[in-house]
Amino acid sequence: MKIIDLSVVVDQDTPAYPGDPKISIETIGQFDTVGYNDHQVTFGIHSSGTHIDAPWHMVKDGKKLDEVDIEQFVGRGRYIKAATLDLEAIQQAGIEEGDIVLLDTGMSDVYGQDEYYTGDRPAITEEIAEYLVSKKIKMVGVDMCSPDQQPFAVHRILLGAGVLIIENMTNLSELEGQDFTVYALPTKLRLDGAPARVIAVIS
């Protein structure tokens, strides 16, 4: 068994989506003075590195993250190399009901650089989103800050159908050609999303 960590590190240098607050970390206890280390962390849900979007993020009456069935955060992984997001390639990927689909666009190679947010990046089309919904997958994960851009139609299609979205993933290329299970476990926040530690276990 091999475990691949698909999550980025969260610290004060973690990039924030344009317009969102940067992560702030304040020391409130130091070992040398009080005998323990303790910190206060402030961040926007969608500026917290690798995180999961709940339906309530873009759907008025959608589920908050704590309302999502725990089984939805674990599933068979399906890796798709997607430097360009092409419907035909996704249709040929053998996606089945209950899968967690991970799209490797290569954008994680520029994570932390300006172009990660401001440069050209692939986007899931509405047609692809509708196809993924039709396959009844659990989640779709991307190595990008977002699977689409304003007005976020793809977010609304996926989340409206209960398909969760994982953003800011890394190390996806290590999954190419592998059979694996994804464990994408977010903090149980009663909110529109949460940071998550996402791993793949290769069988």
Side-chain angles (χ1 to χ4, degrees), residues 17-18 46 51 53 57-58 85 103 105 107 116-117 119-130 132 140-160 165-168:
Y17 193 88
H46 306 279
H51 66 275
D53 289 352
H57 179 42
M58 293 276 181
L85 291 167
L103 302 176
T105 71
M107 285 298 295
Y116 185 74
Y117 290 106
D120 292 335
R121 66 174 186 268
I124 296 177
T125 64
E126 293 180 43
E127 191 177 26
I128 290 173
E130 294 284 6
L132 293 174
V140 58
V142 295
D143 60 343
M144 301 184 288
C145 59
S146 175
D148 63 344
Q149 301 180 33
Q150 291 275 13
F152 300 117
V154 166
H155 266 81
R156 299 179 201 284
I157 291 168
L158 294 170
L159 296 175
I165 302 170
I166 317 170
E167 296 172 335
N168 295 324

Side-chain angles (χ1 to χ4, degrees), residues 8-17 20-26 41-43 47-50 110-114 116-117 168:
V8 299
V9 172
V10 175
D11 58 20
Q12 292 194 126
D13 295 322
T14 298
Y17 193 88
D20 282 1
K22 293 266 307 172
I23 291 177
S24 172
I25 301 176
E26 179 185 353
V41 182
T42 304
F43 56 81
S47 301
S48 56
T50 306
V110 294
Y111 179 75
Q113 301 175 32
D114 289 344
Y116 185 74
Y117 290 106
N168 295 324

